[in-house]
Amino acid sequence: MGSVRKEMQPRHKKYVICMASDFFYPNTGGVEEHIYNLSQCLIKRGHKVVIITHSYGERVGIRYLTSGLKVYYLPIRVFYAQCVLPTMICNIALIRYILIREQVEIVHGHSAFSVLCHEVSIIGKLMGLKTVFTDHSLFGFADTSAVLTNKYLQMCLCECDHCICVSHTGKENTVLRAKVKACNVSVIPNAVDAYSFTPDPCKRDPNMITIVIVSRLVYRKGVDLMAAVIADMCPRYSNIRFIIGGDGPKMWLLQEIREKLGYQHKITLLGSLKHSEVRNVLVKGDIFLNTSLTEAYCMAIVEAASCGLKVVSTNVGGIPEVLPANMIYLTEPNVSGLVKGIEHAMMDIKDGNILCPFECNRMIRTMYNWMNVTIRTERVYKNISMNKNKPLGVQLRSYLSCGVWPFLLVISLMYLLLQLAEKLYKRKHIDIAKDLKL
């Protein structure tokens, strides 16, 4: 009787989801990792997931990843900072073909920086699909680039069914700059595979205090602060060394500091790292240093805490929400604040006032896991699946609310091109892709 009752219980609905972003593997970063891990867990839950991104070098066409995850690397050239040129109309026929071929029901875009994400979402909306957008970053409001990006984001999110932010600070930021309703924004944090980022205290050098930094070497990550902290601390402490993983346009600054001070033996620059190599670098450290100037949610500090490192970080954006007080030293985003934070951590290590690394790993495992993130994302999909599709006139009125009238002409042209594509490549003549069962 119990088994019959169990069979009668309704199972959760299966969806066909298209993840769209300019940022995906083989590029590395928090957005890429988020898309991959969320997709893998959705597949485990029985959903079908395909990913649309642009080509990376010679990687063009269709590729299959773990669990049959299907990735479309579109033959579109990168314009700037791994993003494609925002034409809005040049890729309509190709994107429409993929969405029909894969029988997509929900388009899930990632990152406000991603042009492709917004294009696929708008095309999907004009085709009657449901759309979700996940924002992974914080933006300012004053400089020219922020003003333009915020206005573009506001235009693109006018018809989005729901938004997801990775922190409460990120939600406030998105609501203000994109002018979306707070009730249409959910907070679902990132997660980490704590089973991959396990501690190994034997790898640490007992005679040295090793400070590890793993970051993209760009201005937003506070590389100028990082270099100033290294220049301040290396001459004053003989038992300190820095291991820095990552690459970027600011690499020259760290190389200059190392050569100028003559501390090649104290400053190790590893360059770009594969994600699979990060854990082997982290376990060598006692302290993890994060110098970000802005951050919605810092995945790196969670991975470091999972490996049992003391975390010293700037108190910016959503970082205070990520780790409990006994795992992190929050400092002001300046050199003196970071130096004091590191010295405080060094003193606690010397006095033995530290958490057991394996206890840290256990705590992270319970706080952040991908399956929990996936289940919460599923609830968003379920809620938006009940939304009714709007006719073109109502959608245009929504776009009009952003105050950029020429954008209505763009949306109208996109709609006409979709109708033309239907005449030339009828939906009924498009072969439906077969599901790969593993």
Side-chain angles (χ1 to χ4, degrees):
M1 187 70 179
S3 60
V4 173
R5 218 179 261 127
K6 188 176 181 180
E7 287 176 7
M8 290 176 65
Q9 290 177 354
R11 300 181 67 186
H12 64 275
K13 188 181 184 306
K14 306 296 192 298
Y15 299 104
V16 181
I17 302 137
C18 172
M19 301 285 179
S21 182
D22 281 296
F23 310 107
F24 193 63
Y25 296 149
N27 198 42
T28 56
V31 177
E32 293 85 346
E33 188 185 344
H34 181 104
I35 295 171
Y36 176 79
N37 286 308
L38 178 59
S39 299
Q40 290 295 328
C41 289
L42 285 167
I43 290 171
K44 286 179 183 177
R45 297 274 296 170
H47 305 284
K48 178 182 175 182
V49 183
V50 297
I51 293 173
I52 294 180
T53 187
H54 60 70
S55 60
Y56 281 90
E58 296 181 356
R59 186 172 294 200
V60 185
I62 299 173
R63 298 289 189 276
Y64 286 94
L65 304 184
T66 308
S67 303
L69 176 60
K70 193 174 188 179
V71 186
Y72 285 87
Y73 290 96
L74 304 187
I76 309 172
R77 287 193 174 186
V78 170
F79 172 62
Y80 175 74
Q82 290 299 335
C83 290
V84 301
L85 186 68
T87 63
M88 304 301 286
I89 59 173
C90 292
N91 308 306
I92 283 179
L94 181 56
I95 291 170
R96 170 187 172 271
Y97 182 88
I98 294 170
L99 295 179
I100 294 173
R101 174 177 166 78
E102 298 293 342
Q103 296 183 301
V104 171
E105 299 169 282
I106 297 170
V107 176
H108 190 160
H110 292 264
S111 181
F113 290 110
S114 173
V115 173
L116 188 60
C117 146
H118 299 307
E119 284 192 18
V120 176
S121 296
I122 291 173
I123 292 168
K125 199 64 190 173
L126 291 171
M127 292 174 62
L129 308 180
K130 305 296 184 271
T131 56
V132 180
F133 170 73
T134 297
D135 200 353
H136 296 262
S137 304
L138 296 178
F139 286 86
F141 298 89
D143 58 287
T144 305
S145 63
V147 170
L148 293 174
T149 304
N150 293 345
K151 179 54 73 173
Y152 179 66
L153 185 63
Q154 182 188 348
M155 293 188 298
C156 293
L157 295 186
C158 282
E159 272 298 295
C160 184
D161 287 291
H162 203 83
C163 294
I164 297 172
C165 293
V166 293
S167 67
H168 292 279
T169 303
K171 176 179 177 177
E172 292 175 12
N173 185 261
T174 300
V175 168
L176 287 172
R177 63 192 172 88
K179 293 182 172 59
V180 295
K181 294 179 181 178
C183 61
N184 287 335
V185 184
S186 298
V187 176
I188 302 176
N190 274 325
V192 65
D193 183 4
Y195 294 95
S196 297
F197 288 88
T198 52
D200 189 357
C202 298
K203 298 290 184 182
R204 297 177 182 174
D205 186 342
N207 301 316
M208 300 288 287
I209 295 292
T210 304
I211 299 172
V212 175
I213 302 167
V214 178
S215 170
R216 289 195 302 275
L217 302 180
V218 295
Y219 173 76
R220 187 173 67 86
K221 295 293 183 178
V223 181
D224 299 87
L225 280 179
M226 190 190 302
V229 168
I230 292 170
D232 181 275
M233 297 199 72
C234 279
R236 293 194 293 115
Y237 293 95
S238 59
N239 66 331
I240 198 171
R241 66 169 178 164
F242 288 85
I243 299 177
I244 303 168
D247 202 354
K250 286 278 188 177
M251 171 66 90
W252 67 270
L253 182 58
L254 299 176
Q255 292 172 335
E256 185 181 86
I257 289 291
R258 184 175 66 168
E259 298 301 322
K260 190 175 180 180
L261 296 175
Y263 283 132
Q264 287 84 354
H265 62 292
K266 282 193 167 190
I267 305 169
T268 304
L269 300 176
L270 301 176
S272 182
L273 295 172
K274 294 179 181 177
H275 191 255
S276 58
E277 299 171 337
V278 172
R279 182 260 175 187
N280 294 333
V281 175
L282 290 175
V283 293
K284 295 177 182 178
D286 301 284
I287 298 169
F288 182 85
L289 178 62
N290 173 54
T291 58
S292 292
L293 302 177
T294 175
E295 201 79 65
Y297 176 104
C298 186
M299 184 86 78
I301 64 173
V302 182
E303 292 172 347
S306 182
C307 289
L309 278 72
K310 285 278 191 184
V311 177
V312 178
S313 174
T314 48
N315 187 1
V316 297
I319 287 178
E321 302 175 32
V322 178
L323 293 174
N326 60 347
M327 282 187 172
I328 189 169
Y329 301 86
L330 294 171
T331 73
E332 291 300 313
N334 53 50
V335 177
S336 60
L338 286 164
V339 169
K340 285 179 183 177
I342 294 171
E343 288 174 339
H344 189 185
M346 290 170 63
M347 188 65 68
D348 282 348
I349 291 170
K350 182 180 177 182
D351 296 340
N353 184 23
I354 56 174
L355 284 173
C356 169
F358 297 97
E359 177 64 17
C360 290
N361 182 266
R362 188 193 63 78
M363 290 170 67
I364 294 295
R365 202 179 302 168
T366 56
M367 284 191 290
Y368 300 112
N369 68 80
W370 281 112
M371 195 53 72
N372 176 264
V373 170
T374 303
I375 291 169
R376 293 165 71 175
T377 306
E378 273 183 349
R379 292 191 194 123
V380 173
Y381 295 160
K382 182 180 177 182
N383 290 337
I384 67 169
S385 66
M386 294 184 251
N387 293 352
K388 292 183 179 179
N389 291 330
K390 299 177 183 177
L392 179 63
V394 177
Q395 290 190 44
L396 289 176
R397 276 195 290 274
S398 296
Y399 288 115
L400 185 61
S401 65
C402 70
V404 184
W405 286 43
F407 195 62
L408 269 70
L409 299 177
V410 176
I411 299 298
S412 301
L413 180 58
M414 292 176 75
Y415 179 80
L416 291 174
L417 289 174
L418 281 171
Q419 300 309 306
L420 178 61
E422 177 61 32
K423 294 289 185 184
L424 297 176
Y425 309 102
K426 293 187 182 295
R427 182 182 290 257
K428 64 182 180 181
H429 295 151
I430 296 176
D431 291 333
I432 301 304
K434 293 182 179 179
D435 293 343
L436 182 61
K437 302 292 184 183
L438 294 180

